[in-house]
Amino acid sequence: MCQAGEEYVEPPTEGPLPPRPGGEQKCVKCKEGLPVVVIRAGDAFCRDCFKAFYVHKFRAVLGKNRLIFPGEKVLLAWSGGPSSSSMVWQVLEGLSRDSAKRLRFVPGVIYVDEGAACGQSLEDRAKILAEMKLILQTVGFPWHVVALEEVFSLPPSVLRCFAPDPSGTKGAYKAAVDSFLQQQHAPAQGKERLSQPGTQDPQDPAVPPSAAQTEAQPPSAAQTEALSRLFDSVKTLTAKEELLQTLRTHLILHVARTHGYSKVMTGDSCTRLAIKLMTSLALGRGAFLAWDTGFSDERHGDVVVVRPMRDHTLKEVAFYNRLFAVPSVFTPAIDTKAPEKASIHRLMEAFVLRLQAQFPSTVSTVYRTSEKLVKAPRDSSAGGSPAPRCLLCMCALDIDTAANRGWWYSLGPSPQTRHTGPALLSQAGPPSPCHRAALLRVPCEHEGRALPGPPATLYPDRGPAPQPEGLGPAGAARVSD
């Protein structure tokens, strides 16, 4: 039946569809070009403005930190993935003479073949290596291809922390720039000689270096089998990923020292660093987040690891590689096709990316939090001697010293722990800060909250803290017979 307020209209004729809302939107930077990329809500860029924006972020993070000096040799750690490939392309374009502000360092590229750890066959590894070499030859940088099996032939010196380079002191960057400019204003005779065809100044970073290549001998079957047994002996995927990261880092640092590189660039993006921060917290590495996620990592002394892609999100990297045809090679990782809860790394990655899809400011918030972390001085103990370091990650160990043991006894433990404490120390050695905190039920130094006194005197205005059931009068756990 007909309704009182019903309107009858003729069906619309076939024709062009009406423009969608926002179809007339312009680029937020130039206000003229049609946008092709929407990074965030309201941030639409045309092709040229997006490239300028992307390149500026890469140059700005290098210029702001001033860690890479003119003429310095820098090793680019390339895995074939989108972020590291984009990093190599940024360096390649920055070294060209058409660049407005040319980069002044001398680059090299390293690729680590991890096929044996990931269970790939020899045919698949050879196919991936062929694709990698084709791209490396196109880039034209000196490149080094090493297999992960070479970790078995590394010298014992890789487990030592070398003295830092004294050139990193304050004012050294300005001195290096002045020296570089003096070399640029050399006598005209030298410039004429260098301008002849086939002549190249090895100290001029403006010219891409010759494509010298270093490829190690293929690993033997015994080395491949030994590496496979090593990873098969590790039970969890989380431990396998940590082991792979450790071996890869030692191998890259060894190649850098062997060929005279003082800096190593990695392609860690903003999204990847946010995931790494959450993963490190879950793994108990909160004390070393500033080294694991910061722009520079000086824990190795003579070789500094820098992360120039830390301001780029994975979305920006994907758009840039797509628009400007940056080549990359897919290489199966050790966690490829693994379920979401197979490891802490996979779980944190799925958690952060799912949260980012619902709340687009998640990655940026976590990333900005990591920027506020300060590197605490952990290089020496109270006596002035170098602090012992972990052989795997080369970070300073948080162990007990004589001063810490004095703090342990100054807390005045309860009669129960006073008698059982020395027995525990004699059986298991000096307790770690976490073990000490477990006995006293107080936060430990490992959590960055070392307390100056016993729990009962923390808040004198409020009186002693209430004690849970099962604890002694001083807050210590009762030890059963």
Side-chain angles (χ1 to χ4, degrees):
M1 298 179 61
C2 298
Q3 301 295 330
E6 188 174 2
E7 296 182 358
Y8 296 92
V9 295
E10 297 180 359
T13 58
E14 295 183 359
L17 296 176
R20 294 183 300 176
E24 301 298 330
Q25 186 180 8
K26 298 296 183 180
C27 174
V28 296
K29 187 174 182 180
C30 65
K31 309 297 182 182
E32 296 179 358
L34 293 177
V36 296
V37 172
V38 178
I39 301 176
R40 291 176 297 272
D43 292 348
F45 290 88
C46 64
R47 178 187 176 93
D48 296 336
C49 292
F50 174 68
K51 182 177 182 179
F53 165 78
Y54 193 91
V55 173
H56 172 73
K57 290 176 71 172
F58 182 84
R59 304 286 183 85
V61 71
L62 292 178
K64 178 177 64 175
N65 293 276
R66 294 189 173 185
L67 285 180
I68 300 179
F69 293 0
E72 195 172 18
K73 296 185 67 175
V74 180
L75 186 61
L76 311 179
W78 181 55
S79 64
S83 297
S84 60
S85 299
S86 182
M87 177 188 68
V88 172
W89 235 248
Q90 289 299 306
V91 175
L92 179 62
E93 294 183 355
L95 289 173
S96 64
R97 295 188 180 275
D98 298 334
S99 179
K101 295 182 179 180
R102 294 196 299 267
L103 301 177
R104 301 296 183 180
F105 56 84
V106 181
V109 183
I110 180 174
Y111 170 70
V112 180
D113 180 15
E114 305 171 358
C118 302
Q120 299 179 14
S121 63
L122 294 178
E123 293 77 10
D124 294 338
R125 296 177 65 181
K127 181 179 179 181
I128 293 176
L129 278 178
E131 298 181 15
M132 294 289 185
K133 292 177 183 178
L134 183 61
I135 296 178
L136 290 173
Q137 293 171 359
T138 304
V139 171
F141 293 158
W143 49 273
H144 314 273
V145 175
V146 293
L148 191 63
E149 290 89 331
E150 294 186 29
V151 295
F152 294 109
S153 58
L154 292 181
S157 59
V158 298
L159 302 180
R160 270 200 324 266
C161 181
F162 293 84
D165 189 359
S167 62
T169 57
K170 185 177 180 180
Y173 183 84
K174 185 178 183 302
V177 173
D178 294 340
S179 175
F180 179 79
L181 293 178
Q182 292 178 2
Q183 295 178 5
Q184 292 294 308
H185 296 84
Q189 295 83 2
K191 290 298 180 182
E192 291 178 0
R193 180 181 59 84
L194 291 175
S195 62
Q196 296 177 0
T199 307
Q200 176 180 327
D201 185 6
Q203 300 298 328
D204 185 8
V207 180
S210 57
Q213 62 184 32
T214 301
E215 184 177 359
Q217 296 294 331
S220 61
Q223 290 179 330
T224 303
E225 184 180 357
L227 187 66
S228 300
R229 288 200 309 267
L230 174 62
F231 277 88
D232 291 340
S233 64
V234 181
K235 301 303 180 184
T236 63
L237 183 59
T238 300
K240 288 182 179 180
E241 294 188 38
E242 289 294 311
L243 176 62
L244 179 59
Q245 172 66 26
T246 301
L247 298 180
R248 182 196 306 124
T249 301
H250 282 304
L251 195 57
I252 292 175
L253 291 174
H254 174 68
V255 173
R257 294 187 178 108
T258 304
H259 295 86
Y261 294 95
S262 57
K263 299 289 190 303
V264 172
M265 276 189 181
T266 62
D268 296 324
S269 63
C270 173
T271 308
R272 186 56 54 190
L273 289 178
I275 297 172
K276 190 174 184 179
L277 184 141
M278 301 297 294
T279 305
S280 298
L281 285 175
L283 292 174
R285 292 186 53 83
F288 311 108
L289 287 179
W291 284 269
D292 292 339
T293 61
F295 172 77
S296 61
D297 184 0
E298 304 91 355
R299 78 181 76 174
H300 306 286
D302 57 337
V303 179
V304 179
V305 179
V306 295
R307 304 177 179 94
M309 298 293 295
R310 67 190 311 265
D311 284 347
H312 299 78
T313 63
L314 283 179
K315 184 178 181 180
E316 296 172 358
V317 172
F319 278 138
Y320 184 87
N321 293 356
R322 174 72 175 179
L323 289 175
F324 301 99
V326 176
S328 61
V329 179
F330 171 75
T331 56
I334 196 171
D335 60 345
T336 300
K337 295 184 178 181
E340 181 179 303
K341 299 181 181 180
S343 68
I344 296 178
H345 303 78
R346 289 282 295 115
L347 185 62
M348 283 298 174
E349 179 181 3
F351 169 73
V352 173
L353 294 182
R354 188 181 300 114
L355 203 60
Q356 172 71 13
Q358 299 175 0
F359 305 96
S361 60
T362 299
V363 169
S364 60
T365 301
V366 177
Y367 167 73
R368 297 303 174 189
T369 303
S370 68
E371 283 189 329
K372 297 178 175 62
L373 299 175
V374 180
K375 298 175 182 177
R378 312 175 65 91
D379 294 335
S380 60
S381 58
S385 59
R389 292 178 175 269
C390 174
L391 295 180
L392 297 179
C393 66
M394 301 305 295
C395 289
L397 293 177
D398 199 2
I399 62 174
D400 273 355
T401 60
N404 288 337
R405 278 193 287 272
W407 176 86
W408 152 260
Y409 286 110
S410 67
L411 288 179
S414 63
Q416 292 89 341
T417 56
R418 184 180 294 116
H419 295 290
T420 57
L424 292 175
L425 291 177
S426 62
Q427 295 175 6
S432 63
C434 294
H435 179 63
R436 179 171 63 236
L439 290 176
L440 295 176
R441 291 296 191 268
V442 296
C444 66
E445 296 171 353
H446 217 57
E447 300 170 345
R449 297 177 294 171
L451 301 180
T457 60
L458 286 180
Y459 306 101
D461 298 337
R462 307 178 189 175
Q467 303 295 335
E469 294 186 16
L471 298 182
R478 295 194 179 118
V479 181
S480 59
D481 296 334

